[in-house]
Amino acid sequence: MIPIHLQLDWKPNAQFAGILWAHHQGWYQNIGIDLHIHPWEPYVDPVSALERDGFWIVSTEDNLLIRARERGLSAQAIAAMMQYSGLGWIALKSSNISSIADLKGKRIGIHGDGETGLKVSLAQFGLSADDVDIVEIGYDYPQLLRSGDFDAVQCLVMVEPLELAHEGFELNVMPAYEWGYEVYSQVLATSKQAIASAPKILTHFLAITFEGWRHAFAHPQDAIRVVVDEYLRESSHQVQTELLLAMQPLFEGKVGQSQLGWMTPERWQKSIDYLKTYGVIQTAFAPEEVMTNDLMAAACARC
């Protein structure tokens, strides 16, 4: 049995339903993988887990992996769970903010991983960061919205809007992918050393992971029962089911369920160019330095 550590970039909720379903059913164990799942920790870059001892895989945003590559981390994305980022912004309906264009002159709360997406989206309307007041925020969304200190705040469009709606908030939601920011999300990445030394194990991991996702989308109630009852008891079946259904279009994107996980160098190049254009990284590089489809190709051949 080979121990593998999986660092999530959020709580073990419906965002990881396919993995959690497969884990609970013993599918990873059946192929010789002892999978240890580690929930997100506040203000910790999940990519940093790849610098720990042991065999680690992380779920992260493509821009965080690209930044880590520039810092010298030897790692590659081996698949993308989400074809489109869930990055977006929410505002109270009473604010009358419903478009990126409405953000001009407004105060926007963001997290560090969302600044580039905001700048790209603003540029669709001829705006720049100088046209808004950007402030980094925490994760207490109810308090952030109630305080009135921010006109809009960054969110995951398939998570917080659903959760906040159950608390009585009436919101306008602005997904970044609808405003020109089309990037991969919940990217699965590991060290180049792991890819070179254990390609077969990683191939099996990917095959099981995306089989788990296909089952979760085909049988959402079964998958969510496992998520809530076994991994996230503080949530509810209703909220997590709504989340899973809201995520499905982001997972499938334009490729559909048969191509879950696949990436293209062209889209990675676009992400690299975004970060270079907005000064997040200083040097552009080839997408193959941060991604590979080789393991997905092997996983699909196995299926």
Short mmCIF file of all heavy atoms in Angstrom, two decimals, residues 203 207 262 294-303:
data_model
loop_
_atom_site.label_atom_id
_atom_site.label_comp_id
_atom_site.label_asym_id
_atom_site.label_seq_id
_atom_site.Cartn_x
_atom_site.Cartn_y
_atom_site.Cartn_z
N THR A 203 -1.31 7.51 -12.48
CA THR A 203 -2.30 7.15 -13.50
C THR A 203 -3.51 6.49 -12.87
O THR A 203 -4.66 6.83 -13.18
CB THR A 203 -1.66 6.20 -14.54
OG1 THR A 203 -0.65 6.91 -15.25
CG2 THR A 203 -2.70 5.69 -15.52
N ALA A 207 -7.42 7.89 -12.78
CA ALA A 207 -8.51 7.08 -13.30
C ALA A 207 -9.61 6.91 -12.27
O ALA A 207 -10.80 7.06 -12.57
CB ALA A 207 -7.98 5.71 -13.75
N TRP A 262 -9.01 16.78 -18.56
CA TRP A 262 -8.06 17.14 -19.61
C TRP A 262 -7.78 18.64 -19.63
O TRP A 262 -8.64 19.45 -19.30
CB TRP A 262 -8.59 16.70 -20.98
CG TRP A 262 -8.40 15.24 -21.24
CD1 TRP A 262 -9.24 14.24 -20.89
CD2 TRP A 262 -7.28 14.63 -21.87
NE1 TRP A 262 -8.73 13.03 -21.28
CE2 TRP A 262 -7.53 13.24 -21.89
CE3 TRP A 262 -6.11 15.11 -22.45
CZ2 TRP A 262 -6.62 12.33 -22.44
CZ3 TRP A 262 -5.21 14.20 -23.00
CH2 TRP A 262 -5.48 12.82 -23.00
N ASP A 294 0.18 13.66 -20.04
CA ASP A 294 0.62 12.28 -20.22
C ASP A 294 -0.10 11.31 -19.29
O ASP A 294 -0.49 10.21 -19.70
CB ASP A 294 2.13 12.18 -20.00
CG ASP A 294 2.94 12.87 -21.09
OD1 ASP A 294 2.33 13.24 -22.13
OD2 ASP A 294 4.16 13.05 -20.89
N LEU A 295 -0.27 11.70 -18.04
CA LEU A 295 -0.91 10.81 -17.08
C LEU A 295 -2.40 10.67 -17.33
O LEU A 295 -2.99 9.61 -17.15
CB LEU A 295 -0.63 11.29 -15.64
CG LEU A 295 0.84 11.26 -15.24
CD1 LEU A 295 1.05 11.94 -13.91
CD2 LEU A 295 1.37 9.83 -15.20
N MET A 296 -3.05 11.77 -17.77
CA MET A 296 -4.46 11.68 -18.13
C MET A 296 -4.65 10.77 -19.34
O MET A 296 -5.60 9.99 -19.40
CB MET A 296 -5.03 13.07 -18.44
CG MET A 296 -5.45 13.86 -17.21
SD MET A 296 -6.71 13.04 -16.20
CE MET A 296 -8.02 12.75 -17.38
N ALA A 297 -3.73 10.85 -20.30
CA ALA A 297 -3.81 9.98 -21.47
C ALA A 297 -3.69 8.51 -21.05
O ALA A 297 -4.45 7.65 -21.52
CB ALA A 297 -2.72 10.34 -22.46
N ALA A 298 -2.77 8.24 -20.12
CA ALA A 298 -2.62 6.88 -19.63
C ALA A 298 -3.83 6.43 -18.83
O ALA A 298 -4.26 5.27 -18.90
CB ALA A 298 -1.34 6.77 -18.79
N ALA A 299 -4.39 7.36 -18.04
CA ALA A 299 -5.58 7.02 -17.23
C ALA A 299 -6.77 6.69 -18.12
O ALA A 299 -7.52 5.75 -17.86
CB ALA A 299 -5.91 8.18 -16.30
N CYS A 300 -6.95 7.46 -19.19
CA CYS A 300 -8.06 7.21 -20.11
C CYS A 300 -7.86 5.89 -20.85
O CYS A 300 -8.82 5.16 -21.10
CB CYS A 300 -8.21 8.36 -21.10
SG CYS A 300 -8.85 9.85 -20.33
N ALA A 301 -6.61 5.56 -21.19
CA ALA A 301 -6.33 4.29 -21.85
C ALA A 301 -6.65 3.13 -20.91
O ALA A 301 -7.15 2.08 -21.34
CB ALA A 301 -4.87 4.24 -22.28
N ARG A 302 -6.40 3.35 -19.62
CA ARG A 302 -6.70 2.31 -18.62
C ARG A 302 -8.20 2.07 -18.51
O ARG A 302 -8.66 0.95 -18.31
CB ARG A 302 -6.15 2.75 -17.27
CG ARG A 302 -6.42 1.80 -16.12
CD ARG A 302 -5.84 2.34 -14.81
NE ARG A 302 -6.12 1.46 -13.70
CZ ARG A 302 -7.25 1.48 -13.00
NH1 ARG A 302 -8.19 2.35 -13.31
NH2 ARG A 302 -7.43 0.65 -11.99
N CYS A 303 -8.99 3.20 -18.67
CA CYS A 303 -10.45 3.06 -18.58
C CYS A 303 -11.01 2.36 -19.83
O CYS A 303 -12.08 1.81 -19.77
CB CYS A 303 -11.09 4.45 -18.45
SG CYS A 303 -10.64 5.29 -16.91
#
